[in-house]
Amino acid sequence: MTHHDVIVIGAGFSGMYQLKRLREAGFDTVVIEAGDDVGGTWFWNRYPGARCDIESVEYSYSFDPQLEQEWDWSERYAAQPEILDYARHVADRYDLRRDIEFNRRVRSLDWDEDATRWTVTTDDGRSRTATWVIAATGCLSVPSRPRFEGLEDFAGEVYWTSSWPHEPVDLAGKRVAVVGTGSSGLQTITAIAPEVGSLVVFQRTPSYAVPAHNGPNERLAEVRPIYPEFRAASRMERIGFQCDAGTDLLGETDPEEVERRLGLRWDVGGLCFTSEFADVLVDAEANEVVAEYVRRRIRETVKDPDVAEKLSPRTYPIASKRMCVDTGYFEVYNRDNVSLVDLGEEPIRRITARGIVAGDTEHEVDVIVFATGFDAMTGALNAMEVRNGDLTLREKWADGPRTYMGLMSVGFPNLFTVTGPQSPSVLSNMMTSIEYHVDWITAALEYLRANGRTRMEAEQEAEDNWVTATNDIADTTLMPQAASWYMGANIPGKRRMFMPFLGGVGTYKQIGDGVAVARYHGFELV
Ligand code: NA7
C-alpha cells in the first residue's frame, strides 16, 4: 500500500494552498479530489449568476505578493467563471496538479493506533496510508436534496444549482420553476428572469438581501500598493474582511441618525450593511430597526404590495441566517413573466409529470431548478466513514459536532479539519480563515517533526471547554433564533447546534497563535 506523510482531502482553495505549503515544507503529500479539476465550491456551483458576495480584493489568496500584484479581478464581486479561472491559474502557477488525484472520492478513513497512521480508501476501492490526514472538504460541499414526492415523474429538465452541468443549459423561452431563495436561488432567479419564458419562484423563507452595487473593480488599484497592511487588517477583523464596523449602539442613537447611517451603508452595498452599529446581533430591538429598514426598501422596489410583503422576512432576526447580496433581485418581481409562490400559504404537495403542485394549483413548467442548499459544516466529514476502531465520527457527532478549535476532535488523532465546525469558517471571509488554518496546521506539523513526535490529538478537557465556549458565545447573540443552516436546521433530523465560532476571526487568531506558542496547549503530542 502506498504511504504518504500527508493526505489532503479536497482541492478547493483550502486543499490547494495546503498542498503548496506542505510541499514547500518537505512533506510527501497527495491530494484526493472528487471533481475533475481544482476549485471546490467554484468548480461545482456554476449556475447562472453565480458570484462571490465578498469583494474580490478580500476573497483571494494573500500568501504570494506577486500573485496579488499580477492577478486582475475585473469586478468588485467576482463571478464564478473568473474565480474558477483564478483557481486554475493557481494550480498551474505552482504546478499543483501533479500531486492531486482527481475523480476520486474518499469513502473511509481508518485509524491504526499501532502503526500511527490512517488508511484512506477511495470509491474506486483503492487504499493508501498516511501519517496525517487533512480534511479540506469544505463547509458547503454536500448538497441538500430534499425529497419531493413525484419528482421522478417530472417529464421536464431538473437542475440543482450545487451541481450545475458543465455544458451550457438553454433556458431561453422556457417555463422555469426555481425552488429555494437563499443566495444561490436569488442569483439564479435574477440571472435567468430576462431570458426565460416564465419564471415561478417557490419561496419557503424570504431572505434579507442588500444591494451589491457591483461594477468595475476600482478598489484593486487602491489596495494593491498597500496589500500587506490591508491583509493584516483583514486578519484581525471579526469577519475576516474589512467592514469599518461601528462601535455605537443603535439603541442609543437618534432615529434620524440611524436612518442616515443605514442609508450610507445601503449605498455602499454588501454584507457590511449590518456592521454600522455594534448591537444589531445582540439586541432584538436594534435588530428589528435594521430589519425593518430592509423591508421598507423591498416595499419601495416591488410594485405589488402583496408580493412585497411575501418577500419581506419577518420570522427571524436580520443576519441570523446568511444574508444575500443582490443585483436587482427584488426588481425581478416587477416583470410580467415572474411570479412568486409563498410556500407558507401554499406548500408543495407533489411534483407531477407537468410541474409542481403547491396548495391547490398545479404550476406547469418545462424546467425545475432546485437551489435548496447544503448539509453545512459537518456534511462532508460525516459523508465519509471516519473510524477509530468502534468509534465513528458520525456517532460521536450525533448530538452536534465536538472539536477543539474546529481543528481536531478527540478520538481521531492526526486528523485535521480546515475551517471545521467551531471555527469562524462560514461566518468569515473563507479565504482569511482557510489561510490561517493551513498556516497553523503546517506550522504544527513542522513543530512535531522537529521534535520527533508522530501523533497529535485534542485533549478532552480542551475540547469540552471549546464546545462550551462556542455555544456560550452564540447564546449571547440572536443567531440561534433562526432555523438556519448555521444551526443545522435545514437538514431533517440533524441536531440543532450553532456550529461556527462567533467570537471573531481576529480573536480566534489570537487564541490559535497563543495555543501554538504554548507548544500546542490542549493537544497531546506523542
Ligand atoms: P441556502 O442559503 O441554504 O438556501 C436554500 C434555500 O432553499 C432556502 O431558501 C431554503 O428555505 C430553501 N429550501 C430548502 N429546502 C427546501 C424545501 N424542502 N422546500 C422548499 N424550499 C427549500 O443555500 P444557498 O445555496 O442558497 O446558499 C448557500 C451559501 O452559499 C450562502 O449562504 C453563501 O454563503 C454562499 P429555508 O430558508 O430553509 O426555509
Side-chain angles (χ1 to χ4, degrees):
M1 215 183 293
T2 318
H3 181 77
H4 302 279
D5 295 333
V6 189
I7 291 179
V8 176
I9 309 171
F13 283 123
S14 308
M16 286 199 295
Y17 180 45
Q18 187 67 78
L19 170 60
K20 179 176 184 295
R21 286 297 322 268
L22 290 173
R23 197 193 264 171
E24 285 166 356
F27 290 95
D28 163 33
T29 306
V30 68
V31 179
I32 301 175
E33 164 58 47
D36 63 22
D37 203 358
V38 297
T41 290
W42 303 103
F43 174 85
W44 298 104
N45 289 267
R46 24 180 111 205
Y47 57 84
R51 185 180 292 284
C52 189
D53 53 17
I54 309 262
E55 291 189 43
S56 46
V57 290
E58 301 263 19
Y59 192 88
S60 45
Y61 284 125
S62 73
F63 64 75
D64 182 344
Q66 239 179 323
L67 174 66
E68 271 174 348
Q69 295 302 323
E70 286 171 18
W71 183 267
D72 279 320
W73 292 106
S74 64
E75 292 176 279
R76 181 177 171 193
Y77 297 94
Q80 176 270 337
E82 191 167 48
I83 304 175
L84 188 57
D85 280 351
Y86 176 73
R88 289 180 173 142
H89 170 78
V90 167
D92 292 340
R93 189 176 179 117
Y94 308 105
D95 189 21
L96 298 179
R97 286 194 187 82
R98 70 180 153 89
D99 289 320
I100 305 176
E101 293 184 20
F102 291 103
N103 298 306
R104 286 193 183 90
R105 192 175 280 280
V106 172
R107 285 284 167 236
S108 61
L109 303 176
D110 286 279
W111 175 247
D112 180 339
E113 184 64 50
D114 295 334
T116 321
R117 59 179 52 175
W118 286 96
T119 302
V120 178
T121 305
T122 43
D123 54 4
D124 55 0
R126 215 185 126 199
S127 295
R128 317 117 174 100
T129 58
T131 310
W132 307 95
V133 171
I134 301 173
T137 39
C139 299
L140 296 165
S141 49
V142 173
S144 165
R145 296 188 164 199
R147 226 192 78 68
F148 292 96
E149 199 194 324
L151 178 57
E152 58 287 353
D153 300 334
F154 182 60
E157 302 158 61
V158 174
Y159 301 103
W160 301 82
T161 51
S162 49
S163 43
W164 196 262
H166 291 202
E167 309 74 42
V169 174
D170 182 14
L171 298 175
K174 291 183 181 164
R175 300 169 302 170
V176 180
V178 175
V179 180
T181 51
S183 295
S184 305
L186 259 64
Q187 292 184 338
T188 306
I189 291 161
T190 312
I192 68 174
E195 69 164 303
V196 299
S198 65
L199 175 60
V200 51
V201 176
F202 293 84
Q203 171 191 271
R204 188 162 73 179
T205 312
S207 287
Y208 291 98
V210 282
H213 300 309
N214 192 26
N217 200 346
E218 282 150 13
R219 222 171 145 208
L220 190 58
E222 285 168 34
V223 169
R224 263 192 180 141
I226 53 154
Y227 242 136
E229 303 91 297
F230 181 83
R231 300 290 197 179
S234 295
R235 287 182 203 116
M236 291 315 294
E237 283 279 331
R238 189 173 65 81
I239 46 183
F241 62 98
Q242 293 170 48
C243 269
D244 193 17
T247 51
D248 292 347
L249 301 182
L250 186 148
E252 293 178 357
T253 308
D254 176 64
E256 278 177 27
E257 176 65 4
V258 170
E259 175 74 16
R260 188 186 71 80
R261 284 161 64 173
L262 290 180
L264 290 175
R265 289 274 177 178
W266 189 267
D267 291 344
V268 172
L271 291 170
C272 296
F273 173 70
T274 50
S275 300
E276 180 63 25
F277 297 101
D279 48 354
V280 173
L281 272 186
V282 291
D283 177 338
E285 283 179 32
N287 188 285
E288 174 56 21
V289 171
V290 182
E292 182 52 29
Y293 182 94
V294 177
R295 289 183 214 120
R296 202 188 74 223
R297 290 292 194 152
I298 296 171
R299 289 193 293 274
E300 285 168 6
T301 307
V302 179
K303 288 185 186 141
D304 182 330
D306 291 339
V307 177
E309 182 51 32
K310 284 178 185 167
L311 289 167
S312 297
R314 292 197 181 271
T315 55
Y316 62 99
I318 187 167
S320 63
K321 290 179 92 162
R322 181 62 156 69
M323 285 211 306
C324 300
V325 176
D326 83 287
T327 299
Y329 171 65
F330 293 110
E331 287 84 343
V332 157
Y333 293 91
N334 294 332
R335 298 178 63 92
D336 291 338
N337 67 336
V338 178
S339 57
L340 178 68
V341 177
D342 179 350
L343 297 179
E345 290 172 7
E346 302 172 84
I348 295 180
R349 291 188 194 283
R350 65 181 328 256
I351 293 176
T352 65
R354 290 182 299 272
I356 299 178
V357 180
D360 297 330
T361 311
E362 183 175 26
H363 300 267
E364 292 189 20
V365 290
D366 306 308
V367 181
I368 303 177
V369 176
F370 290 103
T372 46
F374 299 87
D375 184 354
M377 306 208 67
T378 53
L381 296 161
N382 284 338
M384 302 181 289
E385 295 292 333
V386 182
R387 291 181 287 242
N388 178 359
D390 293 339
L391 180 68
T392 69
L393 188 66
R394 203 181 294 134
E395 281 164 22
K396 180 182 168 185
W397 286 7
D399 287 333
R402 298 190 68 80
T403 75
Y404 178 35
M405 296 189 64
L407 280 162
M408 280 194 149
S409 188
V410 175
F412 301 91
N414 291 21
L415 170 63
F416 293 99
T417 51
V418 181
T419 66
Q422 288 146 1
S423 73
S425 62
V426 290
L427 281 181
S428 69
N429 173 7
M430 289 302 293
M431 284 296 205
T432 313
S433 290
I434 284 170
E435 287 194 328
Y436 184 67
H437 265 184
V438 167
D439 289 342
W440 194 97
I441 292 167
T442 308
L445 292 186
E446 288 178 306
Y447 176 86
L448 290 154
R449 183 177 57 189
N451 289 278
R453 317 289 175 99
T454 55
R455 190 185 188 282
M456 178 169 181
E457 184 179 358
E459 290 172 357
Q460 191 64 55
E461 192 185 2
E463 178 171 293
D464 292 346
N465 288 339
W466 189 259
V467 174
T468 302
T470 304
N471 291 336
D472 285 354
I473 296 168
D475 286 342
T476 63
T477 75
L478 305 171
M479 299 291 284
Q481 291 186 12
S484 66
W485 53 254
Y486 299 138
M487 293 287 292
N490 63 327
I491 302 297
K494 189 166 174 174
R495 179 63 187 259
R496 292 194 185 194
M497 177 178 186
F498 194 81
M499 290 185 283
F501 174 79
L502 242 174
V505 168
T507 307
Y508 182 85
K509 174 175 155 49
Q510 288 175 309
I511 297 169
D513 290 356
V515 164
V517 166
R519 286 187 224 107
Y520 298 92
H521 181 79
F523 293 96
E524 188 194 25
L525 313 183
V526 180

